[in-house]
Amino acid sequence: MSDIEDKHKGSYETKVHPILSSDVMSARIENVRSQLEWEPSAEKSGWENFVDSFKRVHVDEVDPNLSVAEKIAVKTARSPLKRKLKNRHLQMIAIGGAIGTGLFVGSGSSLRHSGPAGVLIGYFISATFILCVVCGLGELAVEFPVSGGFTTFATRFIDESFGFAANWNYLLGCCCTLPLEMVSASITVNYWNTPKKYRDGFIALFYVVIMGINLFGVKGYGEAEFIFSAIKVTCVLGFILLGIILVCGGGPNGHYIGGTMWKSPNGAFVGENGGQRFKTVMSVFVSAAFAYSGVEMTGLAAAETANPRKSIPKAAKQVFWRIAIFYIVALTLVGLLVSHKDPRLIGTSSADAAASPFVIAIVSHGIKGLPSVVNVVICIAVLSVGNADIFGASRIMVAMTEMGHLPKWCNLDYIDKRGRPLIALGVMAVFGAIAFIAASPKEGEVFTWLLALSGLSALFTWFGISLSHIRFRHALSAQGRGTDELCFVSPTGLYGSYYSCIIIFVVVCLTFWTSLWPYKTAPNAEDFFESYLSAPIFLVMYFGHKIYRRNWKIFIPSSQVDVDTGRRDTDIEQLKADVAQEKAEIAAKPFFKRFYYKVC
């Protein structure tokens, strides 16, 4: 491939230096990574090895003759993060990543504002496009398990300005969600009538635990998430079994419930006519986006996964079934057990565990003891989400520094010999300290505005992932290549990514409408920005970067997109042969095994 002149600093054209073919470049990346594996020295004391582990890993500078795009691709591909996540870690991260306060507590607000049918419609439609997003992400993450994961794909396959805006939006969301979750925890302990003077103590406890976990590196994160996710999954499955028993009349009260909560005087929807009901259903999507956020963590963890080719496809294909079980079934039972007119759903704030429909459903049917168990699980869910936020945001900061989206002098790409991004973790520790506002009487307002900053960020991230998948496929086609060279092909395909982009765009537009003209209240700035603050921030970032870099392209030309740098499998012909052999072996298996492989 001939050189393409990089005419100005904003150019994002891909240029392959003549002395660096894709095979040679990938070989160099792997050689650098192999040299970065650090083990404690037997000649040093334990303390000396401990101190030595915090020293920065030295990485050679990239070839200055490379283009901006290639420099970013090489830097993110050879990042010295450790590949310590195993298949069991990734599976549990995928299962439990989206189970948090959004499900246990936030679903109560959705139920109150839209009714049981509105909740199911909003969450189910969201589940369909999330399936497409995660499958497309799985395809990209298997091929390019690079530092920053999906945060680098937008910059690489779409446009530098879009990547800049999307990455800052996601980072801001993570930085806001961390203190938000710890404030949630402080409000959750109110269920046990905890004296307010102890609130800072609980915040400090959660703060120390999740920061300590991340100081153990990626392995600490993986083991903690494995345990947290197992507890959350057990709780949801237990509630589903209990909910079925209660709906059928097997509770202490012995009353058959069935579908009575969907009938008059409660009703399945909120609103007196079709237009009002449509508006209340649309209000669910922001809550669903906050609840589902976390499903993309498998793509972010790809760079630190021992074998992404085997682990990520399973995690991606099983997302739909996990969402169907843990969200759709659980929320169906919640809608059958709790009236959307129940005054307890209002709570003292949007993080009040007493307003959890799971807790209300159990309390309303005379079961003692279990509500406290659910609240303990809510606290664990808070720890899990906070743990994921620190892990994700710290890795994003590293990637954004490598991409030039954060100042180099901040040293946020500092990675020590154990693969820990120490300075980025320190920045997250500072943001986490915002949670100590829980002792303030304004904690509810702080929670609301933190939620506003992070509310739509997940939607913009998912849109960027699907658009990156579309651009990657177009780049393959434009360069005369096909999906036969891919280790994993998205089951939902290119059309699935188009579907998710369209639905997300429609949801963002309709959310603008419901935010500007909310149900039952006159248009006001506070309600609008509480629901839609992420959107103007994204637009300011996008156009601000365009103006600063004088980069007026919407997309990187498909023929110039780098589809090679960062791949772990560099021998394309051998890879095609391996993929063809795997497909032949699967085709020879019995029908039920082929079906299981297809959907799981």
Side-chain angles (χ1 to χ4, degrees), residues 179-220:
L180 183 151
E181 290 294 334
M182 287 195 286
V183 170
S184 299
S186 73
I187 298 175
T188 298
V189 298
N190 282 346
Y191 183 81
W192 296 288
N193 297 317
T194 305
K196 194 164 186 177
K197 62 182 180 180
Y198 297 129
R199 298 281 287 281
D200 276 348
F202 279 99
I203 289 291
L205 175 63
F206 290 128
Y207 182 81
V208 170
V209 169
I210 59 179
M211 289 305 304
I213 288 171
N214 280 272
L215 285 177
F216 282 98
V218 66
K219 193 170 183 180

Side-chain angles (χ1 to χ4, degrees), residues 227-496:
I227 296 170
F228 292 156
S229 296
I231 294 172
K232 292 187 291 183
V233 167
T234 301
C235 177
V236 175
L237 290 177
F239 176 81
I240 289 173
L241 292 175
L242 176 63
I244 293 172
I245 294 171
L246 293 176
V247 168
C248 295
N253 297 331
H255 299 306
Y256 173 77
I257 299 172
T260 55
M261 293 296 180
W262 287 53
K263 300 176 182 177
S264 181
N266 295 306
F269 292 95
V270 173
E272 299 175 357
N273 54 55
Q276 292 179 345
R277 291 176 180 177
F278 178 76
K279 185 176 288 189
T280 59
V281 171
M282 287 308 306
S283 68
V284 174
F285 284 99
V286 175
S287 299
F290 177 74
Y292 285 146
S293 59
V295 296
E296 71 281 350
M297 287 303 297
T298 51
L300 191 61
E304 297 170 80
T305 301
N307 191 352
R309 182 176 174 181
K310 298 295 182 183
S311 303
I312 292 177
K314 290 182 180 179
K317 288 188 288 186
Q318 292 174 11
V319 163
F320 179 78
W321 306 112
R322 291 158 183 161
I323 289 177
I325 293 173
F326 300 133
Y327 273 87
I328 307 304
V329 174
L331 292 177
T332 298
L333 292 169
V334 162
L336 293 172
L337 294 170
V338 180
S339 168
H340 65 81
K341 296 182 178 179
D342 194 312
R344 288 172 293 182
L345 288 173
I346 299 176
T348 58
S349 77
S350 50
D352 189 354
S356 166
F358 291 80
V359 173
I360 293 172
I362 296 172
V363 171
S364 298
H365 295 86
I367 299 176
K368 301 183 183 297
L370 278 182
S372 290
V373 173
V374 173
N375 277 280
V376 170
V377 174
I378 292 175
C379 287
I380 291 173
V382 167
L383 284 174
S384 176
V385 176
N387 186 39
D389 281 327
I390 293 176
F391 174 83
S394 60
R395 272 62 182 177
I396 291 169
M397 288 182 200
V398 170
M400 289 179 67
T401 304
E402 292 169 339
M403 289 186 285
H405 294 171
L406 284 170
K408 187 70 177 177
W409 56 264
C410 291
N411 280 328
L412 290 171
D413 57 345
Y414 183 106
I415 298 177
D416 70 9
K417 293 183 178 181
R418 287 199 179 273
R420 296 169 297 196
L422 287 181
I423 295 182
L425 289 175
V427 171
M428 288 307 296
V430 173
F431 274 96
I434 297 174
F436 288 99
I437 198 70
S440 166
K442 298 290 186 180
E443 65 172 0
E445 294 179 25
V446 172
F447 185 98
T448 298
W449 286 107
L450 288 174
L451 183 60
L453 284 167
S454 59
L456 288 176
S457 63
L459 286 172
F460 291 121
T461 298
W462 297 333
F463 182 87
I465 290 171
S466 291
L467 188 57
S468 295
H469 181 237
I470 292 170
R471 297 298 304 161
F472 170 66
R473 286 289 192 91
H474 281 304
L476 281 179
S477 178
Q479 296 175 29
R481 299 162 69 170
T483 57
D484 58 339
E485 66 179 57
L486 303 180
C487 300
F488 169 64
V489 178
S490 168
T492 56
L494 191 58
Y495 290 110

Side-chain angles (χ1 to χ4, degrees), residues 12 22 46 52 65 74 100 109 120 163 291 294 372 387 429-430 437 479 488 503 573 577 582:
Y12 210 71
S22 78
D52 191 46
N65 296 312
V74 172
S109 176
L120 288 183
S372 290
N387 186 39
V430 173
I437 198 70
Q479 296 175 29
F488 169 64
I503 296 298
E573 294 304 319
E582 290 174 4

